[in-house]
Amino acid sequence: MRRDPHPTDGRARSAALTAAGRRKFRQLWEAGESIRTQAVSEMSSDDARTLVRLLNQFAESLDPNAIVVKSVTEG
C-alpha cells in the first residue's frame, strides 16, 4: 500500500495498492476462486441476482465511481 495526497483535499490522504500489492491481490483472488464458485453454485438465480444488487449498492455507497457488475454471468 501507499498513501497519496487526496486530489481535492490537502488535509486528506488516500490509500492505493502498489504494483506488489496488486500482484498479491491477484494471487489471493485466484486462491479464493474455488470458494467463491462453491458459494455461488449453491444459490438460486434469484439469490445470486439479489447478492449482486446488494454488493453493487454497497460499492456505490463507498465510491460513486465504483465498477458495477451488470450480471452474475458477466463477472
Side-chain angles (χ1 to χ4, degrees), residues 5 8 15 21 24 27 31 40 42 48 50-51 56 58 61 66:
T8 59
K24 181 55 76 175
Q27 179 185 16
V40 173
E42 300 293 324
T50 298
L51 176 60
N56 280 329
F58 179 73
S61 74

Side-chain angles (χ1 to χ4, degrees), residues 25-42:
F25 175 82
R26 279 192 296 276
Q27 179 185 16
L28 292 170
W29 184 260
E30 290 170 9
E33 181 65 27
S34 64
I35 294 168
R36 288 189 305 281
T37 299
Q38 180 182 358
V40 173
S41 70
E42 300 293 324

Side-chain angles (χ1 to χ4, degrees), residues 9-74:
D9 183 348
R11 302 166 294 171
R13 307 281 280 170
S14 63
L17 286 175
T18 61
R22 285 190 299 278
R23 285 191 299 274
K24 181 55 76 175
F25 175 82
R26 279 192 296 276
Q27 179 185 16
L28 292 170
W29 184 260
E30 290 170 9
E33 181 65 27
S34 64
I35 294 168
R36 288 189 305 281
T37 299
Q38 180 182 358
V40 173
S41 70
E42 300 293 324
M43 290 182 177
S44 69
S45 295
D46 286 342
D47 287 346
R49 279 190 292 276
T50 298
L51 176 60
V52 169
R53 181 181 56 79
L54 291 170
L55 291 172
N56 280 329
Q57 183 179 342
F58 179 73
E60 288 173 355
S61 74
L62 296 175
D63 179 1
N65 299 313
I67 297 171
V68 175
V69 177
K70 299 296 181 192
S71 108
V72 175
T73 57
E74 290 176 3

